[in-house]
């Protein structure tokens, strides 16, 4: 039994309009407690705090206190020093001066 296009359109409308497809929302709010609304003028430093309406606003700039300034500088210097040693080793290990044969490219260039 073949279905006609009109009956398929009606069937699709009935399926899409059913209550099972439409999401239900309870309106209970978020799982995080909301903060207090502003009741006095904002301070100058308020622009540094991201207040997303929760009870615990966050700083806009990262507050990373696990590594101090000089410890981070030491890590940076050690990393750059390691790459410098790798570059120095590559320069000292001059592979072209230790080749016991003539490169094929050099021979082809000489022949013309």
């Amino acid at each position: 039994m073949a279905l006609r296009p009109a009956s398929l359109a009606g069937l699709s409308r009935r399926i899409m309009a059913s209550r099972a497809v439409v999401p239900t929302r309870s309106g209970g709010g978020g799982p995080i407690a909301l903060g207090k609304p502003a009741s006095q003028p904002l301070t100058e430093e308020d622009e540094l705090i991201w207040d997303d309406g929760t009870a615990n606003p966050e700083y806009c700039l990262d507050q990373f206190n696990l590594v101090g300034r000089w410890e981070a500088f030491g890590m940076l210097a050690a990393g750059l020093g390691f790459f410098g040693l790798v570059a120095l080793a590559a320069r000292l290990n001059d592979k072209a001066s230790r080749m016991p044969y003539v490169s094929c490219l050099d021979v082809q260039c000489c022949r013309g």
Side-chain angles (χ1 to χ4, degrees):
M1 172 177 155
L3 294 174
R4 295 184 309 221
S7 65
L8 288 177
L11 179 64
S12 67
R13 263 189 244 114
R14 276 185 273 146
I15 291 173
M16 293 307 287
S18 69
R19 292 279 181 193
V21 176
V22 179
T24 57
R25 294 178 174 86
S26 62
I32 301 172
L34 298 177
K36 300 177 195 170
S39 60
Q40 41 186 309
L42 299 175
T43 61
E44 186 175 349
E45 293 83 18
D46 191 64
E47 63 188 17
L48 299 176
I49 296 177
W50 175 260
D51 188 8
D52 55 354
T54 61
N56 302 317
E58 301 178 25
Y59 288 101
C60 291
L61 303 174
D62 288 337
Q63 301 291 321
F64 190 73
N65 298 325
L66 295 176
V67 178
R69 178 188 306 175
W70 295 109
E71 188 177 357
F73 177 72
M75 290 180 191
L76 177 67
L80 292 176
F82 173 74
F83 285 119
L85 285 175
V86 169
L88 180 65
R91 179 176 280 248
L92 292 177
N93 186 12
D94 188 17
K95 190 173 181 180
S97 66
R98 294 185 299 152
M99 288 177 25
Y101 54 88
V102 178
S103 173
C104 181
L105 297 174
D106 293 339
V107 173
Q108 290 177 356
C109 291
C110 294
R111 288 185 184 172

